[in-house]
Amino acid sequence: MPLRYFDDQPRGEILSRATNDTDNIAQSLQQTMGQLVTSLLTVVAVLAMMFVISPILALIAVVTVPVTVVVTAFIGKRSQPQFIAQWAATGKLNGHIEEMYGGHTLVKAFGRQKESAETFTEHNQALFTSGFRAQFISGVIQPAMMFISNLNYVLVAVVGGLKVASGSISLGDVQAFIQYSRQFSQPLTQVAGMAGLVQSGVASAERVFELLEAAEQSAEPAEPARPEQVRGRVAFENVSFSYSPDRPLIENLSLTVEPGQTVAIVGPTGAGKTTLVNLIMRFYEVTGGRITIDGVDIAEMSREELRSNIGMVLQDTWLFGGTIAENIGYGAENATRAQIEAAAEAAHVDRIAHTLPDGYDTVIDEEGAAVSAGEKQLITIARAFLAEPAILILDEATSSVDTRTEVLIQRAMSKLRKGRTSFVIAHRLSTIRDASLILVMENGQIVEQGTHESLLAAGGAYARLHEAQFAQPVAEVE
């Protein structure tokens, strides 16, 4: 799936489809398929015996089958929307729970527990209402089937009695036929009673197939291209991009970055800085123009090949459940312990590891509870060190570290960037003074480019940003 899909969908909703809905489909199949096969074989066998005893009485019994189908369909049409609403409400409820669990610190910090609980109650009430209606309406099917079965019993008994009176059939045959008619109705009633389970499974299946049928990311080229040697020359050629067709973000952007250059990208929030690097990674596809690496269009490369040459450190850190060494080793397959520790030392993670009782073997969870936000960021930087990519992308990678550590990381990054093409997104201009080229973006356009000194001398947008950060305690924003 493309990254855009996950940006547009609540995580809890996707997780609900992948867990609750698939589990419900499995349960529905397990509880109905075996019974369905048994009931079908029973109906066929019993029907054959009924026709052997008396074709006329058998036809009377068979007449109830279409009535059963009509009644089941009539009730099912009214219960199916409720099952759909039930599982949609389950998805919303899970989405809210996942969101509140992920941001529980923020909820408590702003004293929003009551509002969170009220929202939960609303979603829970919607789930209760739709679930109750679905079960109640579908639950009517089985009593209705039993009523039809009893009518069938009465018809068979009456017609059979008349035929006994006329001498066309023996009393024993009628008694046997009545027993068979009961056995004929029972599986039909059972199948009808399973309609609720089937409808619930169908409702979940619709949600799962909706996920499966969503637009997938563009297919990989049949014969992927690859640069003869990845040196890190990146070129934007009239690149355009928009998240929605009516709101263009980047238009006709052209830029060439030579191997080994460090390009800093600055600008106000929403200017398109992160979007620019996401396009390089092919997290999003350009809507116009092309991006090349060493002369090869990245759209003609496989995503795996492209991303294997790019190291990325995001502002939002991500760690998985495992040891510190395993989290750093995620940056390179089959990395040795010596390589992991060397990368950790370069990113100043070694001093963190040495303060922990198990060192590099200290287990941290997905939330990184054992380490601080700044320490998590150092671990992700060490992960990028280990990968040794040709192109490095740093998206505000030092935003969560203290000033002293930032200076140490800057020195380490200078070594890491040596000989590599680097894209550095930064809000603190002090961190990018030594960049080979500084791009100033506004509204998806590069409005200025040059070195730190030349841009200050120009007195434009960069100079205003610099003045806002350093010259005045309170700067007026235009």
Side-chain angles (χ1 to χ4, degrees):
M1 302 295 288
L3 187 66
R4 178 175 299 194
Y5 178 84
F6 298 99
D7 286 343
D8 294 340
Q9 297 288 331
R11 284 181 294 177
E13 171 71 16
I14 297 174
L15 289 172
S16 181
R17 295 185 192 220
T19 53
N20 292 333
D21 286 303
T22 52
D23 186 50
N24 184 49
I25 294 169
Q27 287 187 4
S28 299
L29 291 173
Q30 288 170 359
Q31 296 180 31
T32 59
M33 290 304 295
Q35 184 63 48
L36 193 62
V37 172
T38 303
S39 298
L40 182 62
L41 292 174
T42 302
V43 167
V44 171
V46 169
L47 192 60
M49 292 303 300
M50 290 168 68
F51 270 101
V52 168
I53 295 173
S54 173
I56 294 176
L57 291 177
L59 288 173
I60 293 173
V62 169
V63 167
T64 60
V65 174
V67 177
T68 299
V69 172
V70 170
V71 171
T72 303
F74 178 80
I75 299 174
K77 285 182 180 178
R78 282 150 181 79
S79 61
Q80 184 65 18
Q82 300 302 325
F83 279 110
I84 294 174
Q86 175 188 349
W87 289 106
T90 302
K92 289 180 180 178
L93 183 65
N94 282 343
H96 174 72
I97 292 170
E98 196 276 338
E99 191 176 58
M100 293 301 102
Y101 180 77
H104 67 279
T105 304
L106 196 65
V107 173
K108 291 186 176 181
F110 284 90
R112 293 284 181 158
Q113 295 97 318
K114 184 179 179 182
E115 288 81 353
S116 174
E118 288 174 352
T119 304
F120 173 87
T121 302
E122 290 176 10
H123 290 314
N124 197 43
Q125 183 62 38
L127 175 58
F128 166 76
T129 302
S130 57
F132 179 83
R133 289 176 179 172
Q135 296 299 328
F136 182 84
I137 296 173
S138 65
V140 174
I141 293 177
Q142 192 160 8
M145 294 304 100
M146 293 180 66
F147 177 74
I148 295 171
S149 172
N150 289 331
L151 287 179
N152 175 58
Y153 175 81
V154 171
L155 285 173
V156 169
V158 170
V159 175
L162 293 174
K163 290 178 73 63
V164 169
S166 65
S168 58
I169 190 172
S170 67
L171 181 61
D173 285 342
V174 172
Q175 175 62 27
F177 194 94
I178 289 174
Q179 295 299 322
Y180 277 125
S181 69
R182 279 297 192 192
Q183 293 183 25
F184 177 76
S185 302
Q186 185 179 6
L188 292 178
T189 303
Q190 289 176 343
V191 170
M194 292 186 294
L197 277 172
V198 173
Q199 287 180 308
S200 178
V202 169
S204 289
E206 287 180 2
R207 285 167 51 78
V208 172
F209 283 118
E210 186 179 310
L211 172 64
L212 295 176
E213 293 169 0
E216 296 183 5
Q217 65 183 12
S218 57
E220 299 282 20
E223 296 183 2
R226 58 185 303 175
E228 294 182 5
Q229 180 183 0
V230 180
R231 299 172 57 246
R233 185 179 188 273
V234 181
F236 289 75
E237 300 175 5
N238 298 315
V239 170
S240 298
F241 174 77
S242 62
Y243 289 102
S244 58
D246 57 331
R247 295 181 63 187
L249 177 61
I250 297 175
E251 293 184 288
N252 301 319
L253 173 63
S254 294
L255 170 70
T256 300
V257 183
E258 297 298 334
Q261 277 193 322
T262 297
V263 178
I265 308 171
V266 300
T269 301
K273 303 184 296 298
T274 301
T275 300
L276 202 64
V277 296
N278 282 341
L279 294 176
I280 298 175
M281 296 287 288
R282 281 189 71 189
F283 290 147
Y284 294 93
E285 301 290 347
V286 298
T287 53
R290 68 175 192 157
I291 301 172
T292 65
I293 292 180
D294 294 308
V296 177
D297 189 342
I298 63 172
E300 297 175 0
M301 299 173 64
S302 70
R303 291 179 177 85
E304 183 179 359
E305 172 70 21
L306 170 67
R307 293 167 187 169
S308 67
N309 295 304
I310 301 174
M312 195 171 191
V313 181
L314 299 173
Q315 183 175 4
D316 297 325
T317 56
W318 178 80
L319 302 176
F320 59 86
T323 65
I324 292 176
E326 288 171 343
N327 272 280
I328 297 173
Y330 198 78
E333 194 173 1
N334 301 321
T336 65
R337 183 60 175 249
Q339 291 172 324
I340 290 172
E341 292 184 4
E345 187 174 353
H348 305 285
V349 177
D350 59 328
R351 64 182 179 86
I352 301 170
H354 290 151
T355 62
L356 298 170
D358 296 322
Y360 288 102
D361 295 318
T362 300
V363 176
I364 53 179
D365 59 18
E366 295 87 343
E367 299 294 327
V371 292
S372 68
E375 290 170 339
K376 284 194 293 182
Q377 205 150 40
L378 288 173
I379 293 172
T380 61
I381 292 170
R383 187 186 293 163
F385 270 63
L386 184 64
E388 296 186 344
I391 300 170
L392 189 64
I393 295 174
L394 305 171
D395 187 354
E396 198 63 37
T398 59
S399 61
S400 297
V401 298
D402 59 86
T403 306
R404 178 178 174 276
T405 305
E406 183 180 18
V407 171
L408 296 174
I409 292 175
Q410 289 299 326
R411 292 175 184 171
M413 283 184 176
S414 297
K415 297 178 184 177
L416 178 64
R417 294 199 304 260
K418 191 173 182 180
R420 294 184 174 88
T421 304
S422 303
F423 292 87
V424 181
I425 297 175
H427 290 108
R428 286 186 281 188
L429 304 185
S430 60
T431 63
I432 46 94
R433 288 182 177 179
D434 60 344
S436 310
L437 178 66
I438 298 175
L439 306 178
V440 184
M441 294 191 69
E442 288 183 357
N443 301 319
Q445 300 290 328
I446 295 177
V447 295
E448 283 185 324
Q449 56 180 299
T451 63
H452 175 74
E453 291 76 12
S454 64
L455 290 174
L456 282 181
Y462 182 82
R464 291 196 298 272
L465 284 172
H466 189 272
E467 183 180 359
Q469 287 193 24
F470 300 105
Q472 302 177 40
V474 179
E476 186 175 328
V477 180
E478 294 182 358

